[in-house]
Amino acid sequence: MIVSTTGLAWIPWAVWSLPVIGGLLAPILAKMGDRIRDWGSVTFALISALLATSMLSWALSGQTVHDQVGWFMGLKAGVLADPLAVLVSNVVAWVSFFIMVYSVGYMHGDPGIVRYWFFMNFFIGNMQLIVLSDNLFQLFFGWEGVGLCSYALIGHWYTDEEDKWVGSPDHYVWGLPQAYSPSHAGMKAFIMTRAGDVAMLAGIFLIFVYARTLTFTDLSSNITWARAMHSSGLLLPAFLLLLGGAIGKSAQFPLHEWLPDAMAGPTSVSALIHAATMVKAGVFLIARLAPIAAALSLLFPELEVFFLTVAAIGGFTAFLAASQALVSVELKKVLAYSTVSQIGYMFLALGASGLWALGGGITGAMFHLLSHAMFKAGLFLVAGFIIHAVESRFMTDMGGLRKHMPQSFLMFLILALSLAGLPPLSGFWSKDLIISVSLGPGGVLGLILMFSGVITALLTAAYSLRMVGLTFLGKPSRNVEHLEEEHVLREAPLTIRVPYWALALGTIAVGLAGPLMENSIAAFTEGYIHFLGVGANILEVSPSWLPLTSSLSAVIIGLLVAYPFYASFSRTTLPFSRGISGALQRFLWNRWFVNALYYKIFVIPWPTIIRLTDKYVEKMVFDNINTVMYLAATGISRMGISFDTRGVDGVVNAVPEGGSSSSNVVRKANTGSARTYIYSIVIGLLSLVVLVTAIYLWVI
Amino acid sequence: MISVIIALVLPMVLMPLLVLTRRQSVLPEAVSTSALIVAAVLLTSVPSGAYGSFQVDMLTRFFGITFLIVSLIAVVGTYGLEFNGEKPVYYSLILASTTGMILVGATNDMLGLIVSWELMTIPTYLLAGFLKHDTRSNEAAIKYFLAGAISSAMILYGFSLVYGLTGETRLNEIFVKMSRMAFALQPLALISGLLILSGFAVKMAMAPFHLWLPDTLTGAPPTASAIIAGGTKSAGFAAAIRVLILVYLTSRVYYLSSSWPLLLAIMATITMTWGNLAALTQRNLARMLAFSSIGHAGYMLVGLAVQGTQGALLGATGLLLHVLFHGVMKSSAFAGVRIFGYSYDELSGFGRRAPLPSALMALILFSLAGMPPFAGFWGKLYLFLAAIQAGMAWLALVGFLNSALSLGYYGYLVKIMFMDEEDGRTREPRIGRGPLIALIIGGVFMIIAGLYPTPVINAAIAAAKTFI
Amino acid sequence: MMVMELNLIMVSTLSMILFVIGVYGLVSKRNLLRLIFSIEIMINAATLNFVAFAAYLGSSMSVAQIAGVIIIALAAAEAAAGLSLILEAHRLRKDVVVDQLREMKG
């Protein structure tokens, strides 16, 4: 049911524009005092969050608010507050509000604080723009906006001090260093996500060329565009191109390598952008397209390939990243790999949504998005505080911190167990739903997808506990002992503690109300599909015992295996053990060699190419052209010179110089650039004649 | 139309008399600024119709307003320069050149075009060489003069051939006769077209006719560069629209219609690639802007290349939009050179010393790169869409890749201004009010037209329909 | 007085030769003044064309005459501007050789 509540349509507009305005005001607020600067920026996020909450009432009553204004070229700008958007919008708004509060304490005294507030608020606004926009093009604006903020915030510490780097300094793969400066990491993220964005833009273009509209409601209500695209064989490519944008933004294989290195940014940024919100934009995009694509796949079965790709990428990425998290020694990098892995779960669910369980798949993805946003943001916030406290990003410099910061330990444990998927925390319910959805009606494909989810769950449980063990339990490391002597380890201040308290309690609350929560998100999804779906009629799967038991046992096995190794006594992963397990460890430690491979292929050749271009093209070709032209011209002119030097030159030079420089004219024989310009015009004219003749002959 | 010309020519003729007076105060600034504004108001109210060799239609108005805005930014950007007491002459020359540009955009006759072309060009030679004791300025002017004079000669010879082929000077009549031309004479028509194209290409900065441009823009006084890069270049495209599209691209001469779109598409590819590649390693602000201007000429050529095909209207709209946006961006950026200086070495961390001008410059640079939501995006969007519509998707791809490439050097400057640390060589911000206002005009225009482009696009479509 | 019969082909060939001579001068000469001369020759080729074609076509002689006069005037204006710049160049550099203008490049 669409409600044109024009009186209330300003709310979605305000939800995304207020933080943008807040960001733009940051430099002005900064002039009015430090407290106003910090809390003023937070206030904008809070108002936006409150307005987002007020939209929940529409979603709960199954209403959708859709408001449009004319933009250009027949395209309309608009907001679409349907249940899906409202749900994600609330997640974004509240998580970002808590992180903004945390930032007040965490970024205290940072010299770039104004820039920080500007980009944070600007980011929130653009993220809400993605969520609330009613068409693909406007969504792309927000998409690029968050990309820009991500780039700027990863490189926030652009001065590149050694302690802000990411990666182990002595780690080399194929002679390539695996530690990156914040600027480098920012550029890496920018370029890798841009690769996806180019694909996405191309996809949007294609759809626009055929549909002449990009509004989601128009795309779903009239599908002649899909028919036309299908007949020219472009339907599947267009969706796959859009998927390219999604996997770039959400750091899925093969564009996943930027996210672990994006951890060079401030931890609050990692929490907000690289865990809770921006990287979910890809998930959101697929969820937006899923009902349309699913309905179309009934008419055009080729689209099942699209969903299959989504599911395969998700399942594989989940396993790939989780395996790397097992061996990582940096606290934030564990969390980053884990983020990639958990987003893989969401892609798995979305892929399954189009294959067999539309409602269940989207519900699973959205539920996991919600619970992951909470526990992962919380984990990052605690991690940020710990890294700050022990002055090192390596878990080998931690250990035994429990007695110094008991509250942080408790919260970290709860959040980590939620990540591990232990009942009754929120992560359990959402992960279980995804695993059961991915099984679908069974069959080989379902079993494969489910197995990737289950094995990942096992790994997730293991690395979660390993992470807790290495940081809080076990023997204190030398670094911690040193800090203990100085008596500098203490519990976090209030502005830092409250946000992760709130997020941990949230994950418990959602966990306790798990089935209830699942039902309400399912209701949201249903409303959304009914609103946007093209009369899709896709069978849902009934719950079965297999997924539940296998995922639960995977979690327990994972926890049990990891416990003796890491929780009861501290142990680092280095140096490597020998034999097969050592080789495996090294393989994972070297990020499956994918990162190094990308550098070999895409990064290293460039300086060489540039050098070669400089050497051969610049030096040889252009210089020689000059020389050849010069020789040709002097050759021609020499014939003339002998004829008219004495006669005409004498008169000519007499005008400015009294005839004394006639010899000068002949002697000066170096190529001046002004001459080249004249040649170029003449040669240009001749080449136009040649070119047009060639084209003419070719056309004939 | 007469009223517009009088509004510009009267102050242009009278202002140099002020050189005789000892104290000029701000009279030249005030007079020339108000003359431009009055001319703009008059231009919008002049009724449509033919006025001798010139005609007033939507295209005339669109180009006229474009040139007036460009000149206004240049005039405003010149505020505060004294030029050894010859200030009134400088403003007078700007007005003269502007009159010429407006007439180029309004012409419907070869002779009218020749006269207005020279009226536009000759003052800019003198503007470029205005700093008499500066060898660079003189060098810039002479290089510009040589290129410009050759271009004039080629255009004249081309026109003489056209006259010989058709016996007409009116463009409409020429179009009619061209369309009925005997097959044997068609190669000659082609030669005449190539000569005229080459002549315009020098002004448009189409590769390889563009080599003079970077040197001229680097050596000339910054606001003269603004006129040359933002004004005369656009006037080159105005002339191309008036003459080339009518006479060559849409006439049904087989030799022409079969080969020109591809020819222009190839030239567009070469031009944008050459310009952007050359700009990539510049460390001189004016040179970078100049090569970027060449790159933009390549994008605009896409709009010419699609004429006579399916994408004609889209391409013409994009071309007009891009002419307007590029003119505004380039003129305000060149006015900004007065604040920023030339060398990148002096700009590390400049963003912290002069936040407002640097932010505005960054905005204009991003707009030049074609990043949404700034205005520069729309022109490119229409041009690339037109290329796709015309069945030249490869050209759109080339343009798109070039845009990505160009982000490299625009972003590099932004990085230097905002990310790098200040050091001993960083400039002291001496912010003249004039260039700052010029930057503000350009920046605000880019934002407003970027977020709400509908009126501009509608005007461009209306103007494009006059010749499609 | 006997007038030699000039036909169109001859005149237009002459104008083409003039134009080519101008181009030749442009690429071969180094003296700025001679470059200006070359350009003037090219422009005069165009004028000659106009007049010749008008005589051949017979109809709109006045247009061609107007064109001729306008072109001569414009060429003069252009030469004036160019010469003033060259005068300045001579004052600055004591020479008017095009090769000296190499301060800006790249």
Side-chain angles (χ1 to χ4, degrees), chain A residues 50 86 103 135 275 288 300 315 361 365 390 405 423 443-444 506 563 588 640 671 688:
Chain A
L50 289 173
V86 169
S103 303
N135 64 69
R288 260 276 179 257
F300 315 115
V390 306
M405 30 192 97
V444 178
Y563 185 77
L588 298 177
T671 51
L688 280 185

mmCIF file of all heavy atoms in Angstrom, chain A residues 50 86 103 135 275 288 300 315 361 365 390 405 423 443-444 506 563 588 640 671 688:
data_model
loop_
_atom_site.group_PDB
_atom_site.id
_atom_site.type_symbol
_atom_site.label_atom_id
_atom_site.label_comp_id
_atom_site.label_asym_id
_atom_site.label_seq_id
_atom_site.Cartn_x
_atom_site.Cartn_y
_atom_site.Cartn_z
ATOM 1 N N LEU A 50 16.461 9.907 15.174
ATOM 2 C CA LEU A 50 15.108 9.985 15.728
ATOM 3 C C LEU A 50 14.073 10.035 14.606
ATOM 4 O O LEU A 50 13.029 9.378 14.669
ATOM 5 C CB LEU A 50 14.979 11.223 16.621
ATOM 6 C CG LEU A 50 15.755 11.126 17.945
ATOM 7 C CD1 LEU A 50 15.718 12.459 18.683
ATOM 8 C CD2 LEU A 50 15.178 10.021 18.814
ATOM 9 N N VAL A 86 13.294 1.407 5.536
ATOM 10 C CA VAL A 86 13.132 1.885 6.901
ATOM 11 C C VAL A 86 13.975 1.049 7.858
ATOM 12 O O VAL A 86 14.665 1.574 8.737
ATOM 13 C CB VAL A 86 11.640 1.851 7.300
ATOM 14 C CG1 VAL A 86 11.488 2.090 8.783
ATOM 15 C CG2 VAL A 86 10.872 2.870 6.510
ATOM 16 N N SER A 103 33.129 8.511 19.145
ATOM 17 C CA SER A 103 34.180 9.321 18.522
ATOM 18 C C SER A 103 34.526 10.542 19.357
ATOM 19 O O SER A 103 35.665 11.011 19.334
ATOM 20 C CB SER A 103 33.730 9.790 17.137
ATOM 21 O OG SER A 103 33.402 8.704 16.341
ATOM 22 N N ASN A 135 15.520 5.552 -6.773
ATOM 23 C CA ASN A 135 15.975 5.147 -8.103
ATOM 24 C C ASN A 135 17.463 4.839 -8.062
ATOM 25 O O ASN A 135 18.181 5.235 -7.148
ATOM 26 C CB ASN A 135 15.659 6.222 -9.134
ATOM 27 C CG ASN A 135 16.405 7.500 -8.845
ATOM 28 O OD1 ASN A 135 17.618 7.559 -8.974
ATOM 29 N ND2 ASN A 135 15.698 8.532 -8.420
ATOM 30 N N ALA A 275 32.456 -1.844 8.802
ATOM 31 C CA ALA A 275 31.851 -2.997 9.442
ATOM 32 C C ALA A 275 30.338 -2.880 9.430
ATOM 33 O O ALA A 275 29.637 -3.780 8.992
ATOM 34 C CB ALA A 275 32.345 -3.115 10.882
ATOM 35 N N ARG A 288 17.542 -4.832 -2.802
ATOM 36 C CA ARG A 288 16.630 -3.969 -3.547
ATOM 37 C C ARG A 288 16.228 -4.611 -4.870
ATOM 38 O O ARG A 288 15.097 -4.528 -5.311
ATOM 39 C CB ARG A 288 17.319 -2.648 -3.855
ATOM 40 C CG ARG A 288 16.948 -1.510 -2.952
ATOM 41 C CD ARG A 288 15.677 -0.859 -3.427
ATOM 42 N NE ARG A 288 15.285 0.241 -2.560
ATOM 43 C CZ ARG A 288 14.321 0.161 -1.664
ATOM 44 N NH1 ARG A 288 13.652 -0.958 -1.504
ATOM 45 N NH2 ARG A 288 14.008 1.203 -0.939
ATOM 46 N N PHE A 300 12.335 -15.157 -17.376
ATOM 47 C CA PHE A 300 13.601 -15.318 -18.095
ATOM 48 C C PHE A 300 14.547 -16.126 -17.208
ATOM 49 O O PHE A 300 15.227 -15.554 -16.360
ATOM 50 C CB PHE A 300 14.218 -13.969 -18.417
ATOM 51 C CG PHE A 300 13.232 -12.976 -18.948
ATOM 52 C CD1 PHE A 300 12.924 -11.834 -18.248
ATOM 53 C CD2 PHE A 300 12.593 -13.208 -20.158
ATOM 54 C CE1 PHE A 300 12.003 -10.936 -18.734
ATOM 55 C CE2 PHE A 300 11.670 -12.305 -20.644
ATOM 56 C CZ PHE A 300 11.379 -11.162 -19.930
ATOM 57 N N GLY A 315 29.158 -17.592 -0.591
ATOM 58 C CA GLY A 315 29.617 -18.774 0.124
ATOM 59 C C GLY A 315 31.127 -18.888 0.102
ATOM 60 O O GLY A 315 31.771 -19.137 1.128
ATOM 61 N N GLY A 361 15.160 -15.593 2.223
ATOM 62 C CA GLY A 361 16.508 -15.144 1.893
ATOM 63 C C GLY A 361 16.710 -13.692 2.255
ATOM 64 O O GLY A 361 17.697 -13.332 2.907
ATOM 65 N N ALA A 365 19.154 -12.179 5.159
ATOM 66 C CA ALA A 365 20.199 -11.190 4.899
ATOM 67 C C ALA A 365 19.988 -9.953 5.753
ATOM 68 O O ALA A 365 20.929 -9.411 6.349
ATOM 69 C CB ALA A 365 20.215 -10.826 3.417
ATOM 70 N N VAL A 390 46.898 -0.307 24.773
ATOM 71 C CA VAL A 390 48.181 -1.020 24.783
ATOM 72 C C VAL A 390 49.154 -0.470 23.745
ATOM 73 O O VAL A 390 50.261 -0.980 23.610
ATOM 74 C CB VAL A 390 48.005 -2.541 24.563
ATOM 75 C CG1 VAL A 390 47.038 -3.115 25.556
ATOM 76 C CG2 VAL A 390 47.527 -2.820 23.149
ATOM 77 N N MET A 405 40.468 -4.326 32.690
ATOM 78 C CA MET A 405 39.271 -3.726 32.118
ATOM 79 C C MET A 405 38.160 -4.756 32.057
ATOM 80 O O MET A 405 37.811 -5.240 30.978
ATOM 81 C CB MET A 405 39.568 -3.123 30.748
ATOM 82 C CG MET A 405 40.651 -3.812 29.971
ATOM 83 S SD MET A 405 41.188 -2.879 28.544
ATOM 84 C CE MET A 405 42.620 -2.057 29.174
ATOM 85 N N PRO A 423 23.895 -19.553 20.745
ATOM 86 C CA PRO A 423 22.585 -19.166 21.239
ATOM 87 C C PRO A 423 22.701 -18.717 22.698
ATOM 88 O O PRO A 423 23.578 -19.213 23.407
ATOM 89 C CB PRO A 423 21.762 -20.443 21.092
ATOM 90 C CG PRO A 423 22.762 -21.537 21.056
ATOM 91 C CD PRO A 423 24.002 -20.977 20.466
ATOM 92 N N GLY A 443 18.954 -31.023 -2.331
ATOM 93 C CA GLY A 443 19.655 -31.179 -3.604
ATOM 94 C C GLY A 443 21.120 -30.861 -3.435
ATOM 95 O O GLY A 443 21.554 -30.343 -2.400
ATOM 96 N N VAL A 444 21.905 -31.143 -4.485
ATOM 97 C CA VAL A 444 23.353 -30.988 -4.390
ATOM 98 C C VAL A 444 23.726 -29.530 -4.165
ATOM 99 O O VAL A 444 24.528 -29.198 -3.299
ATOM 100 C CB VAL A 444 24.023 -31.521 -5.679
ATOM 101 C CG1 VAL A 444 25.515 -31.315 -5.593
ATOM 102 C CG2 VAL A 444 23.674 -32.980 -5.872
ATOM 103 N N GLY A 506 22.138 -4.536 23.157
ATOM 104 C CA GLY A 506 21.263 -4.699 21.994
ATOM 105 C C GLY A 506 21.360 -6.093 21.429
ATOM 106 O O GLY A 506 20.346 -6.728 21.110
ATOM 107 N N TYR A 563 39.371 -23.403 22.210
ATOM 108 C CA TYR A 563 39.536 -23.057 23.611
ATOM 109 C C TYR A 563 40.888 -23.458 24.186
ATOM 110 O O TYR A 563 41.613 -22.612 24.708
ATOM 111 C CB TYR A 563 38.395 -23.647 24.445
ATOM 112 C CG TYR A 563 38.467 -23.221 25.888
ATOM 113 C CD1 TYR A 563 38.049 -21.942 26.255
ATOM 114 C CD2 TYR A 563 38.965 -24.065 26.871
ATOM 115 C CE1 TYR A 563 38.134 -21.514 27.548
ATOM 116 C CE2 TYR A 563 39.055 -23.643 28.176
ATOM 117 C CZ TYR A 563 38.627 -22.375 28.516
ATOM 118 O OH TYR A 563 38.712 -21.951 29.804
ATOM 119 N N LEU A 588 47.434 -19.264 4.365
ATOM 120 C CA LEU A 588 46.405 -18.353 4.883
ATOM 121 C C LEU A 588 47.017 -17.017 5.268
ATOM 122 O O LEU A 588 46.474 -15.952 5.002
ATOM 123 C CB LEU A 588 45.716 -18.980 6.101
ATOM 124 C CG LEU A 588 44.977 -20.280 5.830
ATOM 125 C CD1 LEU A 588 44.406 -20.827 7.132
ATOM 126 C CD2 LEU A 588 43.863 -20.064 4.830
ATOM 127 N N GLY A 640 65.657 27.542 -50.782
ATOM 128 C CA GLY A 640 65.160 28.906 -50.937
ATOM 129 C C GLY A 640 66.130 29.931 -50.385
ATOM 130 O O GLY A 640 66.276 31.019 -50.932
ATOM 131 N N THR A 671 65.870 23.881 -33.211
ATOM 132 C CA THR A 671 64.413 23.795 -33.320
ATOM 133 C C THR A 671 63.771 24.569 -32.187
ATOM 134 O O THR A 671 63.895 24.223 -31.025
ATOM 135 C CB THR A 671 63.926 22.336 -33.208
ATOM 136 O OG1 THR A 671 64.517 21.778 -32.047
ATOM 137 C CG2 THR A 671 64.311 21.550 -34.416
ATOM 138 N N LEU A 688 44.434 15.732 -41.860
ATOM 139 C CA LEU A 688 42.979 15.675 -42.014
ATOM 140 C C LEU A 688 42.618 15.216 -43.422
ATOM 141 O O LEU A 688 41.727 14.377 -43.601
ATOM 142 C CB LEU A 688 42.370 17.055 -41.767
ATOM 143 C CG LEU A 688 42.180 17.503 -40.335
ATOM 144 C CD1 LEU A 688 41.459 18.831 -40.302
ATOM 145 C CD2 LEU A 688 41.389 16.479 -39.561
#
